[in-house]
């Protein structure tokens, strides 16, 4: 009686849930777990041009009291050719669309990676990550509006097909306005994913008086329940400002309730990061059921009936 299906970038997803890039997506073994799960889609780890080991450990930790997590992974990945090969061999008849995340350390690297995927002419969807906060010495492109527009001026005509971008959290209304004005210039930029982790938090152990993670003197991206309200604000801000595009919501999902709130804020699909990391791929079956129960209780039969319809006072 309840339909959880959705469409993103013109592709049909059997349900709206999938992994946040960075979780359960680095290796083929990870991605196989996603394929076998009850997710509606899957996305690969953000790829750089070459293999990266990432930052030293410990570089990820859940935080106490269910607050969420802190990480400074540093883009560990197998290099773009690994994910290109995966995409070439992916079973696109499986009804789970494949999203490919690219996070070049320079515009030139992004161009080379996009060119390779364009040449392969695969039915996967590219997502360019403008928001990795944990590579030392590399600022987030999403906070440099001029550089981000310049990158899109180069990449959008190169990609040609519908694509998306992964965004950092914005905290100022003027930044929502400026970023949206840029995105609205590119017709084949059809969705934005927000948010990436809230960059450069610091978690300190009270007993040992030490930072909890090693890279960047303990500074890392915050995820999980504590970022829910920031994520909802970003989803809704871009839903309102990008009338011809879609928003994928990510941040703070621990149950069906938070997924419902993301859709209410305007999300067409919802990704899960920290909770997937902690619980494993069975999380999708649980949260799909919880969302179904919520929709039944509220009398909604499809996501379209309440998407973006958050009330204001």
């Amino acid at each position: 009686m309840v339909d959880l299906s959705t469409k993103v970038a013109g592709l049909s997803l059997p349900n709206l849930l999938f992994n946040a890039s960075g979780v359960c997506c680095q290796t083929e073994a990870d991605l196989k777990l996603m394929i076998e799960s009850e997710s509606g889609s899957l996305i690969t780890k953000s790829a750089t041009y070459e293999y990266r080991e990432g930052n030293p450990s410990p570089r990820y930790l859940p935080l106490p009291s269910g607050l969420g997590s802190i990480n400074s992974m540093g883009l560990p990945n197998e290099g773009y050719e690994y994910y290109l090969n995966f995409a070439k061999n992916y079973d696109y008849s499986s009804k789970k669309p494949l999203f490919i995340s690219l996070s070049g350390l320079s515009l030139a690297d992004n161009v080379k990676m996009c060119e390779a995927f364009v040449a392969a002419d695969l039915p996967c969807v590219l997502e360019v990550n403008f928001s990795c906060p944990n590579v030392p010495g590399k600022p987030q492109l999403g906070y440099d509006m001029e550089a981000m527009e310049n990158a899109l001026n180069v990449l959008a005509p190169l990609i040609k097909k519908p694509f998306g971008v992964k965004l950092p959290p914005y905290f100022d209304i003027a930044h929502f306005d400026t970023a949206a004005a840029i995105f609205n210039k590119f017709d084949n930029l059809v969705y934005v994913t927000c948010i990436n982790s809230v960059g450069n938090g610091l978690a300190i152990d009270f007993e040992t008086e030490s930072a909890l993670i090693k890279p960047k003197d303990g500074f890392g991206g915050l995820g999980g329940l504590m970022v829910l309200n920031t994520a909802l604000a970003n989803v809704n801000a871009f839903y309102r400002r990008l009338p011809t595009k879609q928003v994928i919501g990510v941040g703070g999902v621990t149950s069906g309730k938070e997924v419902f709130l993301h859709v209410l804020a305007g999300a067409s699909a919802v990704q899960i990061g920290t909770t997937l990391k902690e619980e494993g791929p069975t999380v999708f079956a649980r949260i799909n059921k919880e969302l179904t129960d919520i929709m039944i209780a509220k009398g909604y039969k499809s996501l379209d009936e309440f998407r973006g319809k958050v009330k204001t006072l």
Side-chain angles (χ1 to χ4, degrees):
M1 294 296 292
V2 169
D3 183 5
L4 299 184
S5 68
T6 188
K7 282 192 171 185
V8 176
L11 299 178
S12 296
L13 284 64
N15 70 69
L16 75 165
L17 300 180
F18 59 116
N19 60 312
S21 180
V23 185
C24 201
C25 61
Q26 182 170 339
T27 65
E28 286 198 27
D30 295 332
L31 294 163
K32 187 171 184 287
L33 291 174
M34 284 299 305
I35 292 168
E36 294 169 349
S37 77
E38 292 190 28
S39 72
S41 185
L42 66 157
I43 188 167
T44 57
K45 173 69 181 176
S46 289
T48 50
Y49 190 71
E50 297 177 328
Y51 168 85
R52 278 181 63 87
E53 182 72 30
N55 292 339
S57 295
R59 59 191 186 181
Y60 166 90
L61 278 176
L63 296 175
S65 305
L67 287 174
S69 63
I70 186 168
N71 87 87
S72 183
M73 301 300 292
L75 277 179
N77 74 94
E78 307 302 308
Y80 89 95
E81 289 181 329
Y82 182 93
Y83 304 104
L84 177 58
N85 186 61
F86 177 83
K88 286 178 177 177
N89 291 289
Y90 184 71
D91 179 10
Y92 292 97
S93 68
S94 69
K95 297 185 179 179
K96 282 193 183 186
L98 174 64
F99 292 78
I100 300 287
S101 179
L102 302 176
S103 189
L105 300 180
S106 66
L107 178 55
D109 281 357
N110 273 331
V111 166
K112 287 185 285 188
M113 292 190 291
C114 286
E115 284 176 340
F117 275 93
V118 169
D121 192 24
L122 302 168
C124 55
V125 177
L126 297 183
E127 178 176 290
V128 183
N129 184 353
F130 286 154
S131 60
C132 183
N134 299 317
V135 177
K138 294 288 183 180
Q140 295 188 62
L141 198 65
Y143 288 144
D144 185 335
M145 299 290 174
E146 185 177 344
M148 185 165 64
E149 183 170 9
N150 178 57
L152 288 170
N153 277 324
V154 174
L155 296 175
L158 173 62
I159 295 170
K160 297 185 182 70
K161 295 196 297 185
F163 76 104
V165 292
K166 177 76 171 282
L167 299 176
Y170 295 107
F171 304 98
D172 194 297
I173 297 298
H175 295 156
F176 292 133
D177 292 341
T178 303
I182 292 169
F183 303 145
N184 279 322
K185 294 179 181 180
F186 301 95
D187 290 342
N188 66 319
L189 171 54
V190 296
Y191 76 88
V192 298
T193 299
C194 47
I195 58 173
N196 206 327
S197 57
V198 176
N200 296 309
L202 177 63
I204 302 172
D205 184 281
F206 175 76
E207 298 297 335
T208 65
E209 303 177 15
S210 170
L212 288 181
I213 59 173
K214 182 173 183 177
K216 294 172 61 180
D217 296 324
F219 282 65
L222 304 176
L225 193 57
M226 74 175 106
V227 308
L228 173 66
N229 301 101
T230 297
L232 293 176
N234 278 257
V235 168
N236 191 243
F238 285 114
Y239 177 79
R240 293 172 183 271
R241 288 166 174 79
L242 304 175
T244 63
K245 305 184 190 300
Q246 294 178 290
V247 182
I248 296 177
V250 54
V253 173
T254 65
S255 71
K257 178 181 176 182
E258 293 84 30
V259 176
F260 181 85
L261 295 176
H262 267 280
V263 177
L264 198 64
S268 289
V270 177
Q271 296 177 348
I272 305 174
T274 298
T275 302
L276 171 59
K277 174 75 172 173
E278 293 303 307
E279 192 172 324
T282 57
V283 71
F284 295 107
R286 172 176 70 81
I287 292 182
N288 273 324
K289 182 182 185 306
E290 291 171 352
L291 178 61
T292 297
D293 291 344
I294 288 169
M295 289 171 63
I296 290 171
K298 286 180 171 283
Y300 293 121
K301 294 183 178 178
S302 73
L303 303 174
D304 289 339
E305 291 180 5
F306 63 98
R307 181 181 292 112
K309 295 183 178 177
V310 58
K311 302 169 186 172
T312 55
L313 303 181

